[in-house]
Amino acid sequence: MAIIAVGHKNPDTDTIVSAIAVADLYKKAYGKDVKPVAQGAVNPESKFVLDKFGLAAPEIVTDATGQQIILVDHTDLSQSLANLDKGEIVAVVDHHKLGDVTTTNPLEMWVWPVGCSCTVIKGMYDFFKVEVPKPIAGAMLCAILSDTVMFKSPTCTDADKKAVDALAKIAGVSDYMSIGVEMFKVKSAVEGTPMKDLLNRDYKDFDMSGKKVGIGQLEVVDLSILTPYKDGLYAEMEKAKKEGGNHSVFLLLTDIMKEGSEMLCLTDDPSVVEKAFGKKIEGKSVWLDGVLSRKKQVVPPFEKAFKG
Amino acid sequence: MAIIAVGHKNPDTDTIVSAIAVADLYKKAYGKDVKPVAQGAVNPESKFVLDKFGLAAPEIVTDATGQQIILVDHTDLSQSLANLDKGEIVAVVDHHKLGDVTTTNPLEMWVWPVGCSCTVIKGMYDFFKVEVPKPIAGAMLCAILSDTVMFKSPTCTDADKKAVDALAKIAGVSDYMSIGVEMFKVKSAVEGTPMKDLLNRDYKDFDMSGKKVGIGQLEVVDLSILTPYKDGLYAEMEKAKKEGGNHSVFLLLTDIMKEGSEMLCLTDDPSVVEKAFGKKIEGKSVWLDGVLSRKKQVVPPFEKAFKG
């Protein structure tokens, strides 16, 4: 039976492309049969990337029972497959903080504090001296541009930029920034999307000191695109909070050109926002100047705020 | 302030040498000031290795408060520094199963399913194109010979053997197996050692489905060396169980020539031994043929047995 390579719930481009790339690399480096899968359908941005480079969307798998698994782009149980303890994790490739996944057996882990899991995977291709296939190189560079908001995010490192340069050469892409802009325009498109899908597009639940805290993010090239949708999104956040039994649900509306985020807030304890960011909620939201990265600029201050 | 590199409690040779080697590598690869430390004094085997290659024993540090930390050779909270959540883990280098350590920030992790953390570190030296200093190479090859019981342990992989070959060349060691035998003779020496020190020489507490399970190991070149000490060791196990509030305390008396272990057993539920190994305790112990590795042959079956 094939090993499955799988990213987090509500898959984004990095999670989808990382699963595809890791499966390719493990086949070639170890001769193992690895199948990329995903916990859900691909979002419009990922579809644009896969279509552009002629790659197929991964099959959907949501349960780990009886599977051998390579986890990509996450190590939090809440973001992973159901019944993870009934499968066997053989490897982890990630670029986030270390979450609460544990294993029974020794495993392989490649985790670097860089902007994108695909940057780690580029390093792995180099380490194993395996050539990145042209279409996968193209998709990987898009994943890095997406996760680093075209190098603007504070999560972006020199390693991410170097990886994009090298991947662009392999993919034969001369102007990757224009592909990036095209990709973010696709990502910004909200018209006709049900509010629920929009909230879930990049939404993750975190366990913060025993409290369930959901944090979603929508990145757009211009925040005004979202103005007509704020009330509808807020109503969806209320539903999600109730259904999930969450302590809090936050939604970052990120303007990648202005380089900041309006955070819609729904919480049992509004003081956590002030503790985390030194600003009070005005109405239903707070403007966080310079905040582009949930991982680096939002999750850590919230975790500290929830601790005490 | 320097970053500290630290291994697990009751440091063994791999934990001590890994801390020293990682500190050297991070200085050279990243220009960071890293200090190797240990959670306790070095054992006789490690002292033999450090003395042989002219390396100093690491300073003892037991609290993480306010420190930046590179964890080596473990990811279990129970085996780590006190107040780990009051420090910041910046990197992990390990070869065990993934434990319950979590982090608040993204980090670097190098974890491979090989016989010894020093084998991972040799791979890192290669990746970063940094030369291993001669004395550190000698100590690293001893750590690998120790952890893999001179390549006899089922945890031993081709990567471990290749690393030892390469390190022997760097260290200018022509007959590493004779150093290995010398080292295991030092390890076997028990005369004059207080029973408590003997039990603690390589002792780890594990959390198994909420139960505290201590598993120690003594490796000797001939089991008969330990015959006069069994009663004394058993009495120390009783003390450790009481003081630690353990559900179980097991001690593996491993005969590396016969390639098996007599396991002394002290447990609130003797059926876990039968569930894990299919053999009943006879008197105070059970003979486990072919069992050399706590990590690979003892911890996983116990974890399964405790689960259900």
Side-chain angles (χ1 to χ4, degrees):
Chain A
M1 202 179 59
I3 300 168
I4 56 170
V6 64
H8 54 72
K9 286 198 170 84
N10 295 316
D12 59 6
T13 301
D14 188 21
T15 255
I16 294 290
V17 177
S18 289
I20 292 170
V22 157
D24 174 72
L25 175 63
Y26 269 68
K27 272 180 220 166
K28 291 169 181 169
Y30 292 117
K32 284 184 183 164
D33 184 16
V34 184
K35 190 171 72 169
V37 303
Q39 295 192 61
V42 297
N43 67 28
E45 182 199 73
S46 303
K47 188 178 180 315
F48 164 84
V49 171
L50 296 178
D51 288 350
K52 182 154 198 90
F53 297 99
L55 295 166
E59 189 185 309
I60 294 176
V61 169
T62 58
D63 196 298
T65 307
Q67 305 270 14
Q68 281 203 308
I69 301 151
I70 301 173
L71 280 192
V72 300
D73 206 31
H74 73 292
T75 55
D76 282 298
L77 288 171
S78 61
Q79 297 169 24
S80 205
L81 295 170
N83 297 311
L84 199 61
D85 58 336
K86 292 184 181 126
E88 186 196 1
I89 298 167
V90 296
V92 171
V93 179
D94 194 17
H95 70 121
H96 296 88
K97 69 191 181 72
L98 180 58
D100 53 1
V101 165
T102 60
T103 71
T104 307
N105 293 314
L107 76 167
E108 186 170 337
M109 294 184 74
W110 294 80
V111 181
W112 294 353
V114 293
C116 181
S117 290
C118 279
T119 302
V120 183
I121 297 170
K122 174 62 173 64
M124 293 169 69
Y125 271 106
D126 293 345
F127 182 84
F128 289 109
K129 296 189 175 67
V130 172
E131 215 176 315
V132 190
K134 210 169 156 171
I136 292 181
M140 284 172 74
L141 83 84
C142 285
I144 301 172
L145 291 176
S146 172
D147 259 24
T148 64
V149 194
M150 295 197 287
F151 303 153
K152 283 182 186 174
S153 167
T155 60
C156 185
T157 66
D158 279 347
D160 297 301
K161 292 177 191 170
K162 274 185 200 159
V164 167
D165 278 336
L167 291 164
K169 272 180 202 135
I170 298 166
V173 166
S174 55
D175 182 9
Y176 54 73
M177 278 305 187
S178 72
I179 296 183
V181 171
E182 215 185 326
M183 182 175 69
F184 272 98
K185 279 187 185 155
V186 172
K187 193 176 203 167
S188 304
V190 289
E191 226 179 288
T193 313
M195 287 301 109
K196 190 174 179 172
D197 294 1
L198 214 51
L199 175 63
N200 283 332
R201 194 176 271 179
D202 182 11
Y203 179 89
K204 292 179 187 173
D205 275 318
F206 298 85
D207 177 347
M208 297 197 181
S209 303
K211 307 277 199 309
K212 191 171 172 187
V213 178
I215 311 177
Q217 183 169 29
L218 286 172
E219 289 165 324
V220 291
V221 288
D222 180 355
L223 204 54
S224 66
I225 295 170
L226 292 173
T227 308
Y229 303 98
K230 278 186 200 169
D231 288 345
L233 286 167
Y234 203 79
E236 278 306 324
M237 287 165 65
E238 284 173 332
K239 273 192 221 163
K241 184 172 181 298
K242 205 172 168 185
E243 281 165 19
N246 281 47
H247 176 278
S248 305
V249 172
F250 301 106
L251 179 61
L252 297 157
L253 309 176
T254 299
D255 189 317
I256 68 169
M257 294 306 172
K258 267 192 219 129
E259 303 194 17
S261 296
E262 180 179 352
M263 183 167 71
L264 296 181
C265 303
L266 191 60
T267 173
D268 292 344
D269 176 10
S271 78
V272 293
V273 174
E274 200 178 346
K275 271 186 214 155
F277 301 100
K279 290 183 83 172
K280 278 193 180 160
I281 301 169
E282 289 176 33
K284 292 174 174 170
S285 71
V286 60
W287 172 255
L288 303 174
D289 207 44
V291 168
L292 294 171
S293 164
R294 171 174 54 194
K295 187 178 76 164
K296 205 148 179 167
Q297 298 172 293
V298 179
V299 171
F302 266 139
E303 288 200 321
K304 270 189 204 152
F306 274 91
K307 256 191 195 167
Chain B
M1 204 177 62
I3 299 168
I4 57 171
V6 65
H8 54 71
K9 288 198 169 86
N10 295 317
D12 60 5
T13 301
D14 188 21
T15 256
I16 294 291
V17 177
S18 289
I20 293 171
V22 157
D24 174 72
L25 175 63
Y26 269 69
K27 273 180 219 166
K28 291 169 181 169
Y30 292 116
K32 284 184 183 164
D33 184 18
V34 185
K35 190 171 74 172
V37 304
Q39 294 193 62
V42 297
N43 67 27
E45 183 198 72
S46 303
K47 187 177 181 316
F48 165 83
V49 171
L50 296 179
D51 288 351
K52 184 155 197 88
F53 295 100
L55 294 167
E59 190 186 306
I60 294 176
V61 169
T62 58
D63 196 299
T65 307
Q67 305 270 13
Q68 281 203 307
I69 302 151
I70 300 173
L71 280 193
V72 300
D73 206 30
H74 73 294
T75 55
D76 283 299
L77 287 171
S78 62
Q79 297 169 23
S80 205
L81 294 170
N83 297 310
L84 199 60
D85 58 336
K86 293 186 180 125
E88 185 196 2
I89 298 167
V90 296
V92 171
V93 178
D94 195 17
H95 69 120
H96 297 88
K97 72 192 179 70
L98 180 58
D100 53 0
V101 164
T102 59
T103 70
T104 307
N105 294 313
L107 77 168
E108 185 170 336
M109 294 185 73
W110 294 79
V111 181
W112 295 354
V114 293
C116 181
S117 290
C118 279
T119 301
V120 183
I121 298 171
K122 174 62 172 64
M124 294 169 68
Y125 271 106
D126 293 345
F127 181 85
F128 290 108
K129 297 189 174 65
V130 172
E131 215 176 316
V132 190
K134 209 169 156 172
I136 291 180
M140 285 172 73
L141 83 84
C142 285
I144 301 172
L145 291 175
S146 172
D147 259 24
T148 64
V149 194
M150 296 195 289
F151 303 153
K152 283 183 187 173
S153 167
T155 60
C156 186
T157 67
D158 280 347
D160 297 301
K161 291 177 191 167
K162 274 185 201 159
V164 166
D165 278 337
L167 291 164
K169 272 181 202 133
I170 299 166
V173 166
S174 54
D175 182 9
Y176 53 73
M177 278 306 188
S178 72
I179 296 185
V181 171
E182 214 185 328
M183 181 175 70
F184 273 99
K185 278 188 185 156
V186 172
K187 193 175 202 169
S188 304
V190 289
E191 225 181 289
T193 312
M195 286 303 107
K196 190 175 179 172
D197 294 1
L198 215 50
L199 175 63
N200 283 331
R201 195 176 271 178
D202 182 10
Y203 179 89
K204 292 180 187 172
D205 276 318
F206 297 86
D207 177 346
M208 297 196 181
S209 302
K211 306 277 198 310
K212 191 172 173 186
V213 178
I215 311 177
Q217 183 170 28
L218 286 172
E219 289 165 323
V220 291
V221 288
D222 181 354
L223 204 54
S224 67
I225 296 170
L226 292 174
T227 308
Y229 302 97
K230 279 187 200 170
D231 288 344
L233 286 168
Y234 202 79
E236 279 304 326
M237 287 165 64
E238 284 173 331
K239 272 191 222 167
K241 184 172 182 297
K242 206 172 168 184
E243 282 166 19
N246 281 48
H247 175 278
S248 304
V249 172
F250 301 107
L251 179 62
L252 297 156
L253 309 177
T254 299
D255 189 317
I256 68 169
M257 294 306 172
K258 267 192 219 131
E259 302 194 18
S261 296
E262 180 180 350
M263 182 168 70
L264 297 180
C265 303
L266 191 61
T267 173
D268 292 344
D269 177 11
S271 79
V272 292
V273 174
E274 200 178 346
K275 271 186 214 154
F277 301 101
K279 291 184 82 172
K280 279 194 179 158
I281 302 170
E282 289 177 32
K284 292 172 175 172
S285 71
V286 60
W287 172 256
L288 303 174
D289 208 44
V291 168
L292 294 172
S293 165
R294 172 175 52 194
K295 187 179 73 164
K296 204 147 180 167
Q297 298 171 294
V298 179
V299 171
F302 267 139
E303 288 201 321
K304 269 190 206 152
F306 274 91
K307 256 191 197 166

